[in-house]
């Protein structure tokens, strides 16, 4: 899994029938130091992530293992909203600390 | 999933039997700012995408989850035609705005 | 899928039993403008491709969806011989035009 | 599989239900000479790996083949703690030698 | 599949139960001209490959299609020992020629 930040929404009316009622979010990829990797992925939201939230997303066939995405033609899914992480003993990111 | 623009068609008469009646489209990959990444993928069309249209494509085993591509030897599929997307609050792409 | 050109054959007598009677071809990867990407893949031939032919190959689990490769430990397969493709309205490659 | 070192933990309360009771570890990727590749992956722990330990992690659908991760939306798993490895006849890493 | 050379062994006592009795080999990736790509993969040995041998390895879910690796959390497998290959009509590698 990789870290990401929800930076947008993608709208598509004309799509494979299996994709109805799924939300496509635009995710900016983050490195382990919480900096942008200047790379983006469109992922299905499986956890109710909102704009600006820091998330974990999984790619490949893992993207079809959540309850919402089972059997859907999706190759990326947001499967967790991140509370915090640490790197070599230092807290890199903490949800509450953002926006304070 | 990644953004792409349909820029061509690929013709192949001699192919695995499971690929009959599928359309191969040449897709130029786009970044989140709607600029070309100068990379291309050949994808099966699952949504009736036409030349010049901006689409979402999925790669890997996800490419075999649409109704048209189930069980086919394909590793990329166009599974949605994009209406619009936004990035950090700004609309980056809107279907109607193109070609006006 | 990506474009490729068959540039060689790989011989291996000692291999997993499921790989018996499959042909390993060396494929040079081509970009959408029919130029070499200076990258190579060894792919199973599922369509009777010959040396010098321009093909489409699929990677990942798609490589096990052709009749010949079902259930085999292969991660790349040639699943089509390309007749032609176009890019932004121009024909980039046409099979008959080669070697004329 | 690739070599990695456990450098942190990721906390996420809000996640897909299938991910309950799994531990997300932050893994720094190592090359074959035991040097950092300055790339990181968040992987599910399937072997009880602790901070600082050198591990093997697998990505893609392999990440769902351990007893703990079967059917979970995960694309990376720590499936072994490394005792040692050699490269061209020289021991590159040995668990006991670290921290002495 | 890609070419590789077996350059080491990886030892791990603490691992997922499904990985018992499998051999982890360190593989140096080779390009189509038989030169090192300075990239390495740890792969399960499915063919009894020895140190210094030139092999083919497959990655992704293909790594679980050999008899030895079915259902195991592995993402790379050595599935063939290479006898020879040619590129544009020239023999690049021949097993007997090595070490003469």
């Amino acid at each position: 899994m990789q870290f990401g930040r929800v930076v947008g929404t993608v709208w598509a009316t004309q799509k494979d029938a299996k994709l109805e009622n799924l939300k496509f979010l635009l995710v900016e990829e983050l490195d382990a130091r919480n900096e942008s990797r200047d790379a983006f992925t469109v992922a299905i939201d499986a956890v109710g992530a909102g704009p600006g939230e820091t998330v974990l997303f999984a790619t490949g066939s893992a993207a079809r293992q959540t309850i919402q995405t089972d059997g859907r033609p999706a190759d990326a899914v947001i499967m967790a909203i991140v509370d915090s992480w640490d790197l070599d003993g230092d807290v890199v990111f903490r949800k509450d600390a953002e926006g304070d």
Side-chain angles (χ1 to χ4, degrees), chain A residues 45-61:
Chain A
D45 179 24
V47 289
E53 274 193 303
T54 299
V55 299
L56 275 181
F57 66 95
T59 57
S61 53

Side-chain angles (χ1 to χ4, degrees), chain A residues 21-60:
Chain A
N21 303 318
L22 293 179
K23 194 167 184 182
F24 294 96
L25 294 179
L26 182 56
V27 178
E28 181 174 18
E29 301 181 26
L30 303 172
D31 65 20
R33 295 179 187 89
N34 198 22
E35 281 162 23
S36 171
R37 297 178 59 208
D38 200 28
F40 297 82
T41 295
V42 178
I44 301 287
D45 179 24
V47 289
E53 274 193 303
T54 299
V55 299
L56 275 181
F57 66 95
T59 57

Side-chain angles (χ1 to χ4, degrees), chain A residues 3 31-34 82-95:
Chain A
F3 298 115
D31 65 20
R33 295 179 187 89
N34 198 22
V82 177
D83 294 332
S84 69
W85 81 80
D86 57 274
L87 169 61
D88 288 330
D90 295 318
V91 175
V92 173
F93 170 84
R94 195 189 305 272
K95 201 178 172 178

